[in-house]
Amino acid sequence: MLTLYYAARTCSLASHIALLDAGATYELQRIDFGRTEQRSLAYLEINPKARVPAMATPRGVLTETPAILVFIAQSFPKARLAPMDDPFAFAELQSFNSYLCSTLHVAHAHRMRGNRWADDAASFADMQRKVPQSVGACYELIENRMLRGPWVMGESYTIADPYLFTLAQWLEDDGVNPARIPRVMAHRSRMAERVNVKRAITEELAD
Amino acid sequence: MLTLYYAARTCSLASHIALLDAGATYELQRIDFGRTEQRSLAYLEINPKARVPAMATPRGVLTETPAILVFIAQSFPKARLAPMDDPFAFAELQSFNSYLCSTLHVAHAHRMRGNRWADDAASFADMQRKVPQSVGACYELIENRMLRGPWVMGESYTIADPYLFTLAQWLEDDGVNPARIPRVMAHRSRMAERVNVKRAITEELAD
């Protein structure tokens, strides 16, 4: 059994969608950010990083979205969610996911989580002012150079698709102009129509 | 043939060491950050992100350290640099590398690259003041919860080792107290003794 520790409206949605895409049997455990449950002693035992997602497996807990997504793909090979046997194609997929975690998500986090990297209210305001530009630049690179279409990696749906979809939920709030990234917006709409995406979002909001 | 685009004293060293560990045939192409060559039109054609590393392969260019490292490991399986056939062990390795790129390296970057996320000099100073704390917290987590020893993942040397070694070059300049992370420091010393590590550093400084 796999147990996904998640919070609604966070990047854990990507792993949740991938579990459904894989046909995995899983349980959900909601971590209540409103009560800062991610910093509770009980959760810190599971994930000392005090973040989501974390996924408990029979062999131990995994963290970090790119790692969890590949674990799901590799554990359920019939779902064909990653080209594990083609080192170059797999590396391109990994490169995309790595960009999302280390550049796009990080740029986004400067809107609400500035206290990770600074202390002064003026710095937080400065960071927030720059988010439309920094996040926008990430999306323009994705739009123009990285997203192949119809899916991120081209004709084959992969674990990169729920990950991009998940982060793209936040782009309007980040002040990014959707008109400048029509292919990203079309991908988001295409994803939103998928049964597993609708189900994952419904499960998270209902829990 | 593989061509690694690198700059000395950057995270591209990790991929360089891994190429040597893999026994790969490769060429080096130095990108001169002093002349902002990473923003030249020629280099932007190779890597529109204007960063290093980038690695040209017969099928195209790869970017992002975690992706390049796994590509090297998977392309040269005899070197046994990653447990590709064990989804859980591979996910643990990927989780470690993902933490380095998205949390540790990002925290470090707030010392010199604050203009990625803010505009005001006062914000940059605020960010710089927080680096010893934010980077230090990453290393304490690595020290106490992540680094198994003697190598990152335990008894087997993997691609996580050159990656941690590379980022650990910067910890004193980031204001981290080495006395608080003796196991990280012992790992760095152990790595520094390896022939391939010495050779990679020598090649980069000589080029």
Side-chain angles (χ1 to χ4, degrees):
Chain A
M1 176 67 85
L2 301 171
T3 301
L4 180 67
Y5 295 85
Y6 80 98
R9 301 177 189 84
T10 72
C11 65
S12 53
L13 177 63
S15 298
H16 189 176
I17 296 169
L19 283 167
L20 287 165
D21 289 332
T25 303
Y26 64 89
E27 287 181 347
L28 291 177
Q29 278 285 339
R30 181 173 178 236
I31 302 302
D32 188 341
F33 278 33
R35 296 191 295 115
T36 61
E37 191 179 356
Q38 73 271 31
R39 301 195 175 281
S40 67
L41 288 178
Y43 188 65
L44 290 174
E45 279 299 306
I46 294 162
N47 183 7
K49 297 171 187 169
R51 305 267 183 100
V52 292
M55 194 167 72
T57 82
R59 286 175 62 186
V61 174
L62 295 173
T63 57
E64 306 289 335
T65 294
I68 291 172
L69 289 175
V70 170
F71 176 78
I72 293 167
Q74 198 173 15
S75 299
F76 299 90
K78 287 182 187 167
R80 296 176 165 273
L81 294 171
M84 296 299 306
D85 297 329
D86 180 336
F88 183 78
F90 181 53
E92 288 190 306
L93 170 57
Q94 293 247 91
S95 175
F96 188 89
N97 284 353
S98 194
Y99 183 73
L100 295 193
C101 80
S102 65
T103 305
L104 173 55
H105 194 160
V106 166
H108 159 79
H110 284 75
R111 179 160 61 85
M112 302 285 282
R113 308 284 186 196
N115 63 343
R116 291 179 183 165
W117 307 290
D119 289 311
D120 299 342
S123 306
F124 303 154
D126 186 13
M127 290 173 174
Q128 285 166 358
R129 279 193 299 274
K130 189 141 188 167
V131 163
Q133 176 189 336
S134 58
V135 174
C138 292
Y139 277 111
E140 293 196 22
L141 188 70
I142 292 169
E143 173 84 12
N144 297 315
R145 301 291 294 254
M146 295 168 68
L147 172 60
R148 291 177 180 168
W151 306 115
V152 168
M153 301 310 299
E155 294 302 320
S156 299
Y157 178 95
T158 69
I159 47 175
D161 293 296
Y163 199 8
L164 176 60
F165 171 79
T166 295
L167 302 194
Q169 302 303 296
W170 312 327
L171 66 87
E172 287 93 344
D173 287 345
D174 284 345
V176 176
N177 181 358
R180 291 184 62 89
I181 50 170
R183 299 174 65 246
V184 171
M185 300 309 293
H187 177 268
R188 193 175 79 174
S189 299
R190 200 173 296 125
M191 285 294 296
E193 291 302 311
R194 289 173 69 91
V195 170
N196 289 341
V197 172
K198 291 178 182 176
R199 182 171 156 197
I201 292 171
T202 303
E203 284 181 355
E204 295 197 356
L205 296 180
D207 193 28
Chain B
M1 176 67 83
L2 302 171
T3 301
L4 180 68
Y5 296 84
Y6 81 99
R9 301 177 189 85
T10 73
C11 66
S12 54
L13 177 63
S15 298
H16 188 175
I17 296 169
L19 284 167
L20 287 165
D21 289 333
T25 303
Y26 64 89
E27 286 181 348
L28 291 177
Q29 279 286 341
R30 180 171 180 235
I31 302 302
D32 188 342
F33 277 34
R35 295 191 295 116
T36 61
E37 191 179 355
Q38 73 270 30
R39 301 196 175 282
S40 67
L41 288 178
Y43 188 66
L44 290 174
E45 279 299 305
I46 293 161
N47 182 7
K49 297 170 186 170
R51 305 267 183 101
V52 291
M55 194 167 73
T57 82
R59 286 175 63 187
V61 174
L62 296 173
T63 57
E64 306 290 337
T65 295
I68 291 172
L69 290 175
V70 170
F71 176 78
I72 292 167
Q74 198 172 15
S75 299
F76 298 90
K78 287 182 186 167
R80 297 176 164 274
L81 294 172
M84 297 298 306
D85 298 328
D86 180 335
F88 183 78
F90 181 53
E92 288 190 304
L93 170 58
Q94 293 245 90
S95 175
F96 188 90
N97 284 353
S98 193
Y99 183 73
L100 295 193
C101 79
S102 65
T103 306
L104 173 54
H105 194 161
V106 167
H108 158 79
H110 284 74
R111 179 161 62 84
M112 302 284 283
R113 308 284 186 196
N115 63 342
R116 290 179 184 166
W117 306 290
D119 289 311
D120 299 342
S123 306
F124 302 154
D126 186 14
M127 291 172 173
Q128 285 167 357
R129 279 193 300 274
K130 190 141 189 171
V131 164
Q133 177 188 335
S134 59
V135 174
C138 292
Y139 277 113
E140 294 196 20
L141 188 71
I142 292 169
E143 173 83 11
N144 297 315
R145 300 291 294 257
M146 295 168 68
L147 172 60
R148 292 178 179 165
W151 305 116
V152 167
M153 301 310 296
E155 295 301 320
S156 299
Y157 178 96
T158 69
I159 47 176
D161 293 296
Y163 199 8
L164 175 60
F165 170 78
T166 295
L167 301 195
Q169 302 303 298
W170 311 327
L171 65 87
E172 286 95 343
D173 286 344
D174 284 345
V176 176
N177 181 359
R180 292 183 62 90
I181 50 171
R183 299 174 64 247
V184 171
M185 299 309 293
H187 177 268
R188 194 176 78 174
S189 298
R190 201 173 295 124
M191 285 294 295
E193 291 301 312
R194 289 173 68 92
V195 170
N196 289 341
V197 172
K198 291 178 182 175
R199 182 171 156 197
I201 292 171
T202 302
E203 284 181 355
E204 294 196 356
L205 297 181
D207 193 29

